[in-house]
Amino acid sequence: MHEGKYTQAEVNAWNRVVVKVFSEVMERFTQANHRYANKIMMAQQQTIVELSSPIISLKDHTALLPLIGNIDTARGMSLLESTLQQCAEKRVTRLFIDLSGVHAIDEVSAYQLSQLIESLHLIGIDTTLSGLHPDIAMKAVKLQLPFDKVTVKSTLAQAINTIK
């Protein structure tokens, strides 16, 4: 349409400007998309953390913490912080921790579980463990974890039957 009106040097200069602008637009879009994806991922991780250690109120300041799945070091640390905070918020005085859905726990997490029980004791919460699998019990004994401040029942039903 405008053949011969513009020199090749002018066309090349415009081309460089267009390519530069598109590159900047793409870079900014990619950065914004990355920030948005990270924000969504952080929200999802927070939801997962909250769901991985739900404190369920039963009655008279009694609550249940049912644990399901494997407990690794990261989950164990999150469990410690989340459980203490939720128990304080809900004014729990007695907590049942049911481990019948936990089939594997690493040594650090077993230690963290004992630290959770000790911490609960220090803030005045009586703790009852139920549903310990044999391998978890063996790890606790092997690590010489102090479970003297906790009541242990073989099933959740036995533990809940102790509610007065």
Side-chain angles (χ1 to χ4, degrees), residues 2-163:
H2 300 282
E3 194 171 327
K5 191 172 182 180
Y6 302 102
T7 67
Q8 188 61 42
E10 289 174 312
V11 170
N12 289 343
W14 292 341
N15 187 36
R16 282 190 297 276
V17 169
V18 168
V19 167
K20 182 179 177 183
V21 169
F22 273 116
S23 292
E24 287 180 24
V25 167
M26 291 301 293
E27 184 177 344
R28 288 182 184 179
F29 173 79
T30 302
Q31 289 171 348
N33 190 46
H34 181 72
R35 283 190 305 272
Y36 177 74
N38 279 342
K39 185 177 178 181
I40 295 295
M41 185 177 67
M42 300 267 289
Q44 289 172 339
Q45 287 174 338
Q46 180 63 32
T47 300
I48 289 169
V49 166
E50 290 170 5
L51 292 174
S52 71
S53 57
I55 300 293
I56 302 166
S57 294
L58 299 175
K59 70 174 194 172
D60 300 327
H61 302 287
T62 300
L64 169 65
L65 173 60
L67 297 176
I68 299 171
N70 296 340
I71 300 178
D72 59 9
T73 305
R75 185 175 178 203
M77 189 62 181
S78 170
L79 182 67
L80 179 64
E81 294 170 6
S82 174
T83 302
L84 290 173
Q85 181 179 358
Q86 289 182 67
C87 284
E89 288 170 2
K90 294 181 181 192
R91 298 183 181 176
V92 172
T93 57
R94 187 168 185 195
L95 181 65
F96 297 102
I97 301 175
D98 183 47
L99 298 172
S100 56
V102 177
H103 300 289
I105 189 170
D106 64 23
E107 289 183 2
V108 173
S109 299
Y111 177 74
Q112 288 170 328
L113 180 61
S114 74
Q115 294 299 299
L116 171 62
I117 293 165
E118 181 69 30
S119 299
L120 289 167
H121 178 74
L122 287 174
I123 61 173
I125 298 173
D126 293 324
T127 307
T128 301
L129 283 180
S130 64
L132 272 95
H133 287 269
D135 61 324
I136 296 172
M138 288 189 304
K139 275 188 183 157
V141 170
K142 177 183 171 190
L143 296 171
Q144 298 178 338
L145 299 177
F147 283 110
D148 56 333
K149 294 181 174 129
V150 64
T151 303
V152 178
K153 297 291 182 181
S154 56
T155 67
L156 180 58
Q158 288 177 347
I160 290 179
N161 281 336
T162 63
I163 297 176

